[in-house]
Amino acid sequence: MKYRSFLLCTFLFCSLWSLAQTQVVKGKIVSEDGRPLDGATISLKGTKVATVANSDGAFVINVPASGKTLVISSVGFVSVEQAITGSDLDIILKKDD
């Protein structure tokens, strides 16, 4: 019985520890005129971690605790590097002239 309790506690500790290693960042990508940018790419700078904005411009990305900067890009718009300052980000992209 003690062995099972030990295994259960170890499993719970490891689960909590792994959750602390990442954070969920969500937000919305829009153009200067407020239109949602469907298909905008949101990636963690220097990694292969990435996601794509949905038709409402909304996105969710799991970022390692070491992650500091997101790179947001969309065809026809200037790419932006955005510091991760919280778990909710709203980003405006300017048209590429």
Side-chain angles (χ1 to χ4, degrees):
M1 185 66 181
K2 287 183 180 182
Y3 182 71
R4 287 184 187 170
S5 297
F6 173 75
L7 286 177
L8 179 61
C9 288
T10 302
F11 175 74
L12 290 174
F13 175 75
C14 289
S15 296
L16 290 174
W17 182 71
S18 67
L19 287 175
Q21 300 301 311
T22 63
Q23 67 174 336
V24 176
V25 177
K26 61 182 182 170
K28 188 170 183 178
I29 312 296
V30 297
S31 63
E32 290 177 293
D33 60 4
R35 288 183 308 111
L37 292 179
D38 178 17
T41 302
I42 301 91
S43 60
L44 184 61
K45 186 175 181 178
T47 71
K48 294 182 180 183
V49 176
T51 191
V52 177
N54 67 16
S55 60
D56 296 324
F59 71 92
V60 176
I61 187 168
N62 292 318
V63 177
S66 61
K68 303 291 183 215
T69 306
L70 293 177
V71 178
I72 300 89
S73 60
S74 186
V75 176
F77 292 85
V78 178
S79 295
V80 171
E81 289 191 10
Q82 173 70 46
I84 300 171
T85 56
S87 61
D88 209 2
L89 300 174
D90 291 325
I91 300 160
I92 299 171
L93 293 185
K94 296 180 180 181
K95 284 192 174 186
D96 190 8
D97 293 330

